[in-house]
Amino acid sequence: MNHNAQFETSLLKPVSDITGHESEFLIQIINQSAKTNGQSSKQAFLLATKLLKDKRFIIKCCKSLSGFLTHNPKIFDAKVKGWVFADLPEFIGDSPYLYSDTILHHHYYDNSGSAEYSSSRIFLCTEFIYKDCHTTLYHEFLAENSGIIDILMSMGLSVENKQLIKSACQSHKQNPFPEVVPAYQIQVLIPYALEEQQYISISPCSSSYVQGAVHDFFIDKGITNLNKKIHNVPRPQNMGTLAYSARGAIAVLSPKINLERKQTPLKQALATLHSGDSLLSADFKNFNFMLKINKMADFLTNRYDAINLKSSEKAHILSRLQRQVSAMFSHLDALRKAYQCNQVTLEDIEKLKSSQKNYVIRKKLSSDEMHTIWKESVTEIQKQLLKNNQNNNLIYHPALVLYISYSVKIHLKPLYQGNLEIAKPELPVWKSKAKGQQTLEQNQPCYLYIPNLKVFNAHADNSPYTTGLPAITALVGYVDRLRRNLIESTDMDIGKTNVSWWLHSFQTITGIKKHEPARWNLKTRHPLSDVVSRNFCHLSFDLVLECSNKLNNFNDLCQLPECLPTKFASGDVVLADEDPSQNCVSVKPMVFPALDELVLYLKSTAVSRWLVLDHSSHFPRMSENILSDFSCEFSRHLTNNYVSQLSLSGVGYKLLESPMIREGSRLKNHAYAETVVGMQQLLKLDAITISQVPLLPIFWSYTATKRLVLCKAFKSDS
């Protein structure tokens, strides 16, 4: 092969413009396909014309169209015999997702091929630019009229050989995929709108059309905004043209994920207060001890009708209240101390509310400032208590209001020198139920909370082009499997289900794991498949399911843990034991009638959680290069952002054909599909207020539009 050729023919090199140099280009790719090389231009021409007349060479080039499709959403798996080309991608310049249609001016090799024919494939499959059009000889032979083919005819290509090549290209176009699904091939069940059934079986394929663009993006351009990993293929000769061209080292997108990010106390205080919509933005932990049944009865029977510090029980209640009030003011107190020591400036606290700012900068509060902060504090506590209790008469009972007000006064007293009776606010008591406060409408969803799932050795390679968290498709598929298990094993139907993902921990693991069942040579007993993945992870998380069924259908959840699928992204799923030292929540599932009640409960625990949001809907396309736009978006997302980070993951599939009846399919209808990658945002729960959560796209579910079947996240239906 002529390594000093004028025109680039490698999958990993820029496309050559051959306009005005058609003959030289054709001579080069003909000789490269046959691994011949003339010492002079005349010898090269004679060799090329001889090859065009050689029927064995023509047949080998035709056979080179058949290759292999990698059939797993992960990277480097067993291969099934298929074809190199699918339909030419129709470029979509504004899509926020990464798949072949969003890659402009790259190679037409749509799927990995067999290295056995890697040289022969150069003749028909090399992409080039001719008269401002990107094309290949494969597409030129399919065209009605082609000036390039006329040049080949003038160089010695016979009519018989031309027809042989054209027939092979037409046959390939009509039958781009195998007629039978092999037994060892992965099949994924996804929801799809068909008349007779709601699910189809698909076989995911990796596209070297996209893989080549990602690899080139990193290797040639030296991108640093997006992290990369290099997949080292142990046997690149078995992995097709791309791996063979890259000598077994393929770059993939690998954003860093760190769930242990920490801030300095002052930055944490500022971030927490900025994210709040009230004076105080603490977690309101343990306030619900006031609402225990015996205390409720005590207040409602007016047993505690006045403050009496001689009562040990009342003193205990006041002591606990005062500790919680101090915790609520902890962020403001930290900023106040820092401001007095000149560690915080007015510019740092510019975005705080006026009452918060007064608390921080005033040495002593005025009567009006004291009045405002006192009232806002009591009102906020009542507001939070109301979200977790339906008894307004209790929340606004005069004795409980007096207890709360007294606790706030004790905390604020050192900041005020005037008459406390003048600054004391009037507080509402025995407030009637707010309109629509307690009634749960019949058509409103309820929320099934499944806490503390731990997964070991899950796939971190969430698509052929990315590695990080397990794929979003694995998340939605896990919940769909749970729903079907519940229907099969119990009488419980959770109805239409959307799922949100609340991460606790994430740890990457490097190893080697074969996909089971592997593909074996029955005679030699040697494996024919390569490594599924070298990147795995351990993670723990909560799941919250938004269910369309009625709340009263979830009275008995004791059977739910037995119905949980045991695999998540090929990892082993276990229920985490309750650990009092870590303040873990109970492993028992719970049902909440409203999302804000669920979030209030999660905020009351000491577990750090990161909510996985759909960021694709917020991802702005700025150019025709989606990978450059990815890089810019990661740059815009601050690297020192301690409460938010971005990730990339497989979110669905683009069907490469219409679903059809195919022998060997798990379901009636089957299709080959390409993995689609989307962007996610990981947002720390501490940075989200309860009122913000219903406005965020947190609930994931499948959405089918034409040939795109994607997991998208939506706001709560409540």
Side-chain angles (χ1 to χ4, degrees), residues 270-327:
L270 281 169
T272 305
L273 290 169
H274 285 166
S275 68
D277 52 7
S278 62
L279 169 69
L280 308 170
S281 51
D283 291 336
F284 300 96
K285 299 174 184 175
N286 300 325
F287 266 105
N288 292 329
F289 80 92
M290 296 295 299
L291 306 180
K292 293 182 180 178
I293 298 298
N294 61 328
K295 302 299 179 189
M296 188 182 299
D298 287 340
F299 280 112
L300 291 181
T301 57
N302 288 326
R303 177 180 170 187
Y304 299 148
D305 55 359
I307 297 293
N308 183 357
L309 294 179
K310 294 181 180 180
S311 167
S312 61
E313 190 170 21
K314 295 178 184 179
H316 176 66
I317 293 175
L318 280 172
S319 176
R320 293 192 65 177
L321 266 174
Q322 289 170 20
R323 287 199 301 269
Q324 295 306 313
V325 168
S326 296

Side-chain angles (χ1 to χ4, degrees), residues 413-478:
K413 187 175 180 180
L415 281 66
Y416 180 67
Q417 286 182 338
N419 189 338
L420 287 172
E421 291 302 318
I422 297 177
K424 183 178 179 180
E426 291 186 10
L427 300 170
V429 295
W430 295 113
K431 188 174 180 180
S432 60
K433 183 193 299 184
K435 184 178 180 181
Q437 176 75 27
Q438 313 300 336
T439 304
L440 180 66
E441 300 293 340
Q442 291 297 319
N443 59 350
Q444 282 188 330
C446 58
Y447 301 89
L448 176 59
Y449 172 58
I450 305 175
N452 284 358
L453 295 177
K454 286 192 174 182
V455 182
F456 296 95
N457 297 316
H459 279 299
D461 290 331
N462 50 50
S463 82
Y465 329 116
T466 55
T467 184
L469 288 172
I472 299 297
T473 51
L475 168 72
V476 178
Y478 181 84

Side-chain angles (χ1 to χ4, degrees), residues 376-390:
E376 284 189 17
S377 302
V378 175
T379 302
E380 185 62 28
I381 295 173
Q382 291 174 325
K383 176 183 173 182
Q384 298 302 326
L385 289 174
L386 271 174
K387 290 186 176 181
N388 208 35
N389 187 271
Q390 298 182 0

Side-chain angles (χ1 to χ4, degrees), residues 211-274:
Q211 280 182 333
V214 173
H215 181 90
D216 176 70
F217 181 70
F218 281 115
I219 301 304
D220 288 352
K221 299 183 180 180
I223 299 299
T224 58
N225 295 330
L226 275 173
N227 292 313
K228 70 175 183 294
K229 278 187 179 293
I230 300 295
H231 285 289
N232 295 297
V233 187
R235 295 190 297 277
Q237 67 274 16
N238 292 338
M239 295 311 303
T241 307
L242 176 67
Y244 190 71
S245 299
R247 297 183 180 180
I250 298 179
V252 297
L253 301 163
S254 179
K256 285 186 178 180
I257 298 172
N258 181 12
L259 303 188
E260 303 297 328
R261 292 183 177 182
K262 295 182 179 180
Q263 294 172 284
T264 63
L266 290 181
K267 287 186 177 180
Q268 184 178 7
L270 281 169
T272 305
L273 290 169
H274 285 166

Side-chain angles (χ1 to χ4, degrees), residues 667-682:
L667 298 178
K668 178 181 178 181
N669 291 282
H670 176 273
Y672 284 91
E674 174 195 349
T675 304
V676 177
V677 172
M679 189 179 296
Q680 299 82 47
Q681 180 187 14
L682 278 62

